[in-house]
Amino acid sequence: MVNELDSIPEGQRSTRVIVITGMPGAGKTWLATRFAQEYYNFFSHVCFIDGQSEATIKADIMHHARSKGGMVYSQATFKDALGFFRGDRSGNCLLFYDNVDKEDLDLVKLLPLGRQGLIIVTSRDHLKGELASESHLHIELDVMTEDEAIETIIQTSRLPNSAENRLAARAVAQELGCLPIALTQAGVSMFRYGYTVERYLTLYRTHWDRISGEDKAYSAFDISGQRLPRHFLDFLHLMSFMHHSNFPMEAISLAAEWGFEVELFQLAPREPIYEESIDLLKSIFCRNGQWDERSQSQMVMAIRNCSLGTFTPLPNSKSLFFHMHPLIHEWSMDRIPIHKRSLFKEAATRLVACAIKSLPLRIRLLSHIDSLLWYSAIAPMHVNDRAAFGKMLRKAGRLEDAQGVWVTVRDELESRYNRSHISFVTVNLEMALTLEKEVLQRRIWEREAVKRYGLAYGETDMKTLHAKRSLAETCQSIGDHESAALLLRYLLEGLEQQDAGSHLEVHRVKRIAASVSFQQQRYYDARTFGEQALQGLSSILPAHDREVLTASTELARTYRHLQLHADAERLQEGILKTAKATLKESDDVTLQATMALAKTHVSRKQYTEATQLLEPAIALFQEVYGEIRAAEAMILLVQIYMSQHPSRLSDAIELQKQIINIFTKNFGKDDSRTTVQMAHLVVFYENKNRLREAEDLLKQILQTVRGQDKKANIEAIDVMNKLAEFRVKQKRYEEALCLDVECLDAYIEEYGSHSVVVADTKLKLAVILYQLRNMAQAKTLAEEAVTVYAKDIESNGEEYNEALKTLYWIQNPVKAHAKMAYQEFKEPIMTELGILKYKWHCSQSGDYRRGPVEAKGANVNQVE
């Protein structure tokens, strides 16, 4: 294996897989562990993975990615975790898959292949050797030869290498079947406790009453274990219910500080075993009334001395991780008297249930929560503890796992209480938080919780307020903004009565209130709530916390809508800087911050900055979100190109072609979204004077629009309307006439003949017909437009004014280009049309509604 380290060229991105196979106790784990310890500094990370099943492998991979990947991977799925170990962020890792013994396990899909580093697999299954990168990397171990076994005993016991000792060691080797792990344990026991070889052999024979290889090792462990104080041996029994590696010893001191009595939920009364388990924990860890550093040091030293466990330091901490060899882990469980196993299981559960109160420890305890849930077959876990673990799984982002736990909790409570019982309501509320897609069911449960909590605890109790906040978030997510706003108002009033002005819950409620206000277009309220929420959250949580980043992002969005672009830019630059420093480039927060800042740069006409920001992000958008979301970013980039120097027009055309290809692939060539993008490309071609290509593409669009329901293609019709305006500027009136006739038919079908958008189109047609000297039809269309505008002059003042002027020109072509006062053409036209008593006032701001055109967003390339 050492040669493999030397043979990996610097910078080479390939994974070497070494497979060690052999019978139980042959030393597979020992060999791999010694290698990992000796070459620890060669690797950026060394990760031990329990290979007993696909579930344990996935749990460990996720645990390591979450603990080593920082905030970015704090809620990583298994796929995310594999991506972490494949990528550069993980560095040069050693992954040690131990005890991969199941014959039907498909290990290949569970290995992060394709990156630099080393994977070591240990297995009893000889066929697993096929996974080795090369044939010589399959290492087959068997029992030692007698000479090797004697040498191992002499070296580990540090006895003189005399003929007498070698002869006695031969007898021990024969008794232990030359199993490496048993031989090592025997030698360590002789050295630590001063046994002669003969004395050890006598002790061994009194313990060994079985014949299998594992039991030979068990006898060796028994001899070491009998020298431990009772409470240290009980500690090993306790740890046998945890995952065999990476138990944080800090959890013990925290749980002891709280008297081992913390309960996140009190859904059902406890049984006598609860108090017994607390007494057991105190007898192990608080023999002098409390747990202290001296007690821990004594335990660590004793267990290390008898080689029944190892302790490694936590990163950047004085605390320790505890690890057990899988075989010792099994031995520790098997040596618990049958009638006491339930008690030790309860005590192990109590220890973890207390420790998860600590936020920093939660992610490190997930693998141990999984192990305890798996061991529920030995002794059913109390419903209160299952509820606590279900909540931790949800907070870790494992919603399906959490939901599975909560289902068992609800089933048990159903057998205890009726559905109206407050504990049942609590479970339904927690289950609601695990539902991502079933929002209606989620709202039903949350409403019930709000009602029942209000009756049981009062409207201003924190439990009731928490339920209201969950319900408000759900209402917001389904667009019921009025209900969300009402709930938030009650929430803020309730929190004020609690005098909880600085409470984290207050700032969370204000963030939701800001989001709801924004959705209701109450931007000044959104700004007030958003600024208060961000200030409060930032005072409690670190800058890189997702709640802080989300609050910052939403406030920046509000600033943009209030035209406070400088404030939005300042805030977004801070978000992006923090996201890049603490999260990965492809994280959702980072990408959304990139897009938002690019839009702000565009609003401020900072096109160079927007381009530099958005161009490298397009590939990440496609990788993370897929082609459609990437196309949205590309549409914004096209706008930027069109707003820059004319030399970027070619870039805009090429990018627009890619957008059309994406839309065609995902929606079809006849879909309105595709034809809209094609219409934009026509305009780009015209601007570039590539008229033949523009004509060909325009024919395709017209064929599509004519062959389909015009209502489905109304956005494409809007773009054709714009194109007709372009034709008028080119004085290509007949082509413009054909386009606007198509548009008029579609608009009448979509909006009705008396809509403002139809009047706009008729007025454009009147101008075109005037240029083609078709005065009669031009006059008819202009009169129809004036009549529509006159019905709501207050909203359509400018359009009405322009229509009167156009109609006068049509009737008086000689005076068409002369400068005229408004009254000169207003009175005769109004008299002719019978419009004499309309009174209207134009707003000085000129901020008029354009009706359906603006509502539909005629410029579909403008990304909000």
Side-chain angles (χ1 to χ4, degrees):
M1 287 191 286
V2 176
N3 292 336
E4 288 310 305
L5 294 184
D6 297 332
S7 66
I8 300 176
E10 187 175 351
Q12 177 177 310
R13 298 186 60 82
S14 62
T15 307
R16 299 294 181 93
V17 180
I18 299 174
V19 181
I20 307 172
T21 60
M23 64 181 293
K28 305 181 294 295
T29 300
W30 178 84
L31 176 62
T33 303
R34 283 295 300 272
F35 171 80
Q37 291 173 343
E38 189 168 348
Y39 292 93
Y40 185 88
N41 293 330
F42 184 86
F43 300 99
S44 54
H45 300 296
V46 175
C47 304
F48 291 84
I49 297 160
D50 184 355
Q52 292 184 40
S53 67
E54 182 172 333
T56 60
I57 291 173
K58 286 184 174 180
D60 278 2
I61 287 285
M62 289 189 292
H63 165 74
H64 288 303
R66 290 167 179 173
S67 60
K68 295 172 173 55
M71 186 67 183
V72 182
Y73 290 91
S74 60
Q75 296 185 1
T77 62
F78 177 66
K79 183 178 179 181
D80 295 334
L82 283 183
F84 168 74
F85 286 111
R86 288 190 181 115
D88 294 331
R89 193 182 182 104
S90 65
N92 182 34
C93 285
L94 168 61
L95 301 183
F96 174 19
Y97 289 70
D98 195 25
N99 291 336
V100 186
D101 299 326
K102 291 185 68 173
E103 294 181 4
D104 58 348
L105 179 64
D106 182 7
L107 186 60
V108 174
K109 68 179 183 182
L110 306 175
L111 300 177
L113 300 173
R115 43 157 291 284
Q116 178 178 324
L118 201 60
I119 294 175
I120 300 176
V121 178
T122 66
S123 176
R124 301 174 187 177
D125 181 9
H126 176 80
L127 295 178
K128 290 290 191 294
E130 297 175 0
L131 296 171
S133 300
E134 299 174 33
S135 58
H136 71 279
L137 298 182
H138 177 197
I139 302 171
E140 299 180 76
L141 296 182
D142 202 344
V143 296
M144 290 181 170
T145 64
E146 280 195 359
D147 288 342
E148 290 172 335
I150 292 167
E151 202 63 39
T152 298
I153 293 172
I154 295 297
Q155 288 183 6
T156 54
S157 65
R158 304 186 187 179
L159 292 170
N161 192 8
S162 64
E164 182 182 357
N165 283 338
R166 291 184 71 86
L167 183 62
R170 182 182 300 275
V172 173
Q174 289 172 347
E175 290 284 352
L176 295 175
C178 294
L179 287 172
I181 190 170
L183 295 168
T184 303
Q185 194 70 39
V188 169
S189 295
M190 294 177 203
F191 172 70
R192 295 297 181 193
Y193 307 126
Y195 296 144
T196 63
V197 181
E198 291 81 2
R199 173 62 178 157
Y200 182 85
L201 193 58
T202 301
L203 288 172
Y204 174 80
R205 285 170 175 163
T206 63
H207 284 275
W208 179 53
D209 55 359
R210 305 185 188 109
I211 57 173
S212 72
E214 285 175 300
D215 292 325
K216 291 176 184 291
Y218 274 25
S219 296
F221 300 151
D222 287 338
I223 293 172
S224 297
Q226 72 178 1
R227 296 299 299 245
L228 284 175
R230 178 73 255 172
H231 61 293
F232 290 173
L233 192 58
D234 284 345
F235 168 75
L236 295 178
H237 293 331
L238 198 68
M239 290 297 104
S240 69
F241 288 96
M242 310 296 184
H243 190 276
H244 67 79
S245 66
N246 294 313
F247 181 82
M249 296 294 287
E250 185 182 357
I252 299 170
S253 59
L254 290 172
E257 183 180 332
W258 295 316
F260 306 106
E261 295 180 355
V262 173
E263 286 200 87
L264 295 185
F265 293 93
Q266 294 181 343
L267 303 175
R270 290 286 187 171
E271 296 166 355
I273 196 172
Y274 173 77
E275 295 296 339
E276 294 172 16
S277 69
I278 293 175
D279 291 340
L280 174 60
L281 289 169
K282 290 180 177 179
S283 71
I284 297 173
F285 301 118
C286 305
R287 296 180 66 80
N288 298 321
Q290 62 181 10
W291 171 256
D292 54 32
E293 291 294 327
R294 183 169 175 273
S295 301
Q296 175 170 304
S297 298
Q298 290 174 342
M299 179 179 289
V300 168
M301 186 175 297
I303 291 173
R304 275 179 172 164
N305 285 344
C306 64
S307 295
L308 290 175
T310 59
F311 296 85
T312 58
L314 282 167
N316 304 316
S317 172
K318 294 181 180 179
S319 191
L320 300 172
F321 274 137
F322 176 64
H323 313 269
M324 300 173 77
H325 186 284
L327 200 55
I328 298 175
H329 190 256
E330 293 177 14
W331 166 80
S332 299
M333 170 77 73
D334 290 344
R335 289 302 186 255
I336 303 174
I338 297 294
H339 67 282
K340 286 189 174 183
R341 287 191 182 179
S342 296
L343 176 59
F344 276 92
K345 165 69 164 40
E346 181 75 15
T349 302
R350 188 93 296 277
L351 177 60
V352 174
C354 290
I356 57 177
K357 185 177 178 181
S358 166
L359 291 175
L361 277 181
R362 285 177 180 174
I363 193 169
R364 293 174 177 150
L365 290 169
L366 282 175
S367 62
H368 307 292
I369 288 174
D370 289 331
S371 180
L372 287 165
L373 288 169
W374 187 82
Y375 277 122
S376 292
I378 291 176
M381 186 180 293
H382 192 274
V383 68
N384 293 359
D385 296 322
R386 266 182 286 150
F389 292 166
K391 184 168 186 173
M392 292 307 101
L393 292 172
R394 174 178 64 79
K395 286 184 172 292
R398 293 168 54 183
L399 298 184
E400 288 187 14
D401 295 337
Q403 196 174 125
V405 172
W406 281 111
V407 166
T408 67
V409 172
R410 189 176 63 175
D411 289 346
E412 181 171 335
L413 289 182
E414 247 183 331
S415 65
R416 287 174 178 257
Y417 312 118
N418 60 48
R419 287 178 173 268
S420 62
H421 193 278
I422 199 68
S423 293
F424 201 84
V425 174
T426 299
V427 172
N428 280 345
L429 177 60
E430 287 293 332
M431 277 199 70
L433 298 175
T434 68
L435 302 178
E436 282 188 300
K437 298 179 181 178
E438 302 170 48
V439 288
L440 295 180
Q441 181 61 61
R442 175 172 175 164
R443 185 165 63 166
I444 290 170
W445 282 339
E446 288 169 338
R447 279 178 171 171
E448 182 187 8
V450 169
K451 179 181 177 181
R452 297 288 302 161
Y453 281 171
L455 292 172
Y457 306 118
E459 292 296 329
T460 59
D461 185 85
M462 288 302 293
K463 288 183 178 179
T464 309
L465 297 177
H466 172 71
K468 286 181 179 179
R469 177 170 67 84
S470 297
L471 179 56
E473 287 185 287
T474 301
C475 289
Q476 180 202 4
S477 70
I478 61 177
D480 186 1
H481 304 307
E482 290 186 9
S483 297
L486 186 63
L487 281 163
L488 292 168
R489 190 181 74 194
Y490 290 147
L491 267 171
L492 290 172
E493 290 173 357
L495 289 166
E496 284 176 5
Q497 292 180 33
Q498 290 255 355
D499 193 24
S502 61
H503 195 281
L504 183 60
E505 190 73 13
V506 176
H507 310 311
R508 286 170 170 162
V509 170
K510 288 183 176 180
R511 186 192 68 76
I512 302 167
S515 183
V516 171
S517 298
F518 181 89
Q519 296 297 335
Q520 294 179 314
Q521 299 182 10
R522 295 188 289 110
Y523 299 126
Y524 287 101
D525 289 342
R527 176 185 178 181
T528 301
F529 282 127
E531 289 176 342
Q532 292 174 357
L534 180 59
Q535 182 179 359
L537 291 170
S538 299
S539 67
I540 299 173
L541 303 173
H544 63 263
D545 187 272
R546 287 181 182 271
E547 284 193 76
V548 176
L549 293 173
T550 300
S552 300
T553 301
E554 291 175 350
L555 180 57
R557 179 185 62 177
T558 301
Y559 283 156
R560 281 187 59 239
H561 277 265
L562 291 172
Q563 305 297 312
L564 301 173
H565 298 302
D567 291 330
E569 184 179 58
R570 171 185 52 78
L571 203 53
Q572 288 163 343
E573 285 177 343
I575 297 167
L576 190 56
K577 181 179 179 181
T578 302
K580 285 186 173 180
T582 58
L583 307 175
K584 56 184 177 180
E585 292 282 339
S586 59
D587 187 88
D588 180 69
V589 173
T590 310
L591 292 177
Q592 293 304 320
T594 301
M595 189 73 163
L597 183 55
K599 291 176 185 177
T600 301
H601 284 322
V602 171
S603 300
R604 305 193 73 189
K605 298 183 179 180
Q606 298 170 340
Y607 300 120
T608 302
E609 291 85 346
T611 303
Q612 292 172 348
L613 198 61
L614 204 53
E615 280 182 337
I618 296 294
L620 288 173
F621 270 91
Q622 182 152 345
E623 177 186 338
V624 175
Y625 301 124
E627 290 182 328
I628 301 302
R629 289 286 297 277
E632 293 175 10
M634 292 161 72
I635 288 170
L636 177 59
L637 191 55
V638 166
Q639 285 183 39
I640 296 169
Y641 287 161
M642 293 298 292
S643 302
Q644 287 180 301
H645 194 272
S647 62
R648 298 309 303 262
L649 182 56
S650 296
D651 295 329
I653 288 173
E654 293 306 312
L655 195 55
Q656 189 67 24
K657 287 180 180 178
Q658 294 180 39
I659 295 168
I660 292 170
N661 288 336
I662 291 172
F663 277 51
T664 302
K665 175 183 174 183
N666 288 277
F667 306 124
K669 65 182 181 62
D670 296 335
D671 186 89
S672 62
R673 288 163 288 191
T674 307
T675 53
V676 165
Q677 300 305 322
M678 293 169 69
H680 284 300
L681 186 56
V682 171
V683 176
F684 298 164
Y685 280 150
E686 295 244 357
N687 288 340
K688 193 68 173 173
N689 205 30
R690 293 165 61 171
L691 302 182
R692 176 62 62 85
E693 293 165 289
E695 295 294 333
D696 292 342
L697 193 54
L698 183 59
K699 289 176 183 176
Q700 291 182 41
I701 297 172
L702 292 175
Q703 185 177 358
T704 299
V705 172
R706 289 171 183 146
Q708 302 233 341
D709 178 10
K710 291 183 173 60
K711 186 173 181 179
N713 264 299
I714 201 67
E715 289 184 340
I717 295 296
D718 290 338
V719 180
M720 286 176 61
N721 200 347
K722 293 289 184 184
L723 187 59
E725 293 178 10
F726 191 78
R727 289 283 191 268
V728 170
K729 291 177 182 178
Q730 294 176 312
K731 299 183 179 180
R732 295 163 64 177
Y733 299 117
E734 291 184 355
E735 295 174 31
L737 179 65
C738 293
L739 289 170
D740 265 341
V741 168
E742 291 276 349
C743 293
L744 183 62
D745 291 342
Y747 286 149
I748 290 174
E749 183 178 345
E750 173 73 4
Y751 304 120
S753 58
H754 299 293
S755 64
V756 173
V757 67
V758 169
D760 290 342
T761 309
K762 286 181 177 180
L763 193 60
K764 290 178 185 177
L765 276 169
V767 172
I768 294 169
L769 290 167
Y770 167 78
Q771 295 295 341
L772 293 172
R773 299 296 183 262
N774 190 338
M775 300 303 181
Q777 288 190 24
K779 179 184 176 185
T780 300
L781 290 170
E783 288 175 346
E784 292 175 359
V786 170
T787 303
V788 172
Y789 294 140
K791 291 179 180 177
D792 188 6
I793 297 178
E794 225 175 282
S795 298
N796 305 310
E798 286 189 348
E799 292 84 349
Y800 176 67
N801 186 350
E802 188 65 30
L804 289 176
K805 188 185 295 185
T806 301
L807 185 54
Y808 186 82
W809 288 344
I810 292 170
Q811 292 177 339
N812 302 277
V814 175
K815 298 182 180 181
H817 300 291
K819 291 184 178 179
M820 298 177 61
Y822 169 66
Q823 293 297 332
E824 287 185 67
F825 62 82
K826 174 187 176 185
E827 295 298 338
I829 294 297
M830 291 178 67
T831 300
E832 182 178 341
L833 294 178
I835 306 172
L836 298 174
K837 296 183 179 180
Y838 286 110
K839 295 182 179 180
W840 54 280
H841 304 280
C842 293
S843 168
Q844 294 302 312
S845 65
D847 184 17
Y848 298 105
R849 286 191 174 183
R850 297 288 296 174
V853 175
E854 197 169 282
K856 284 284 182 180
N859 186 359
V860 294
N861 259 359
Q862 185 173 350
V863 180
E864 184 56 30

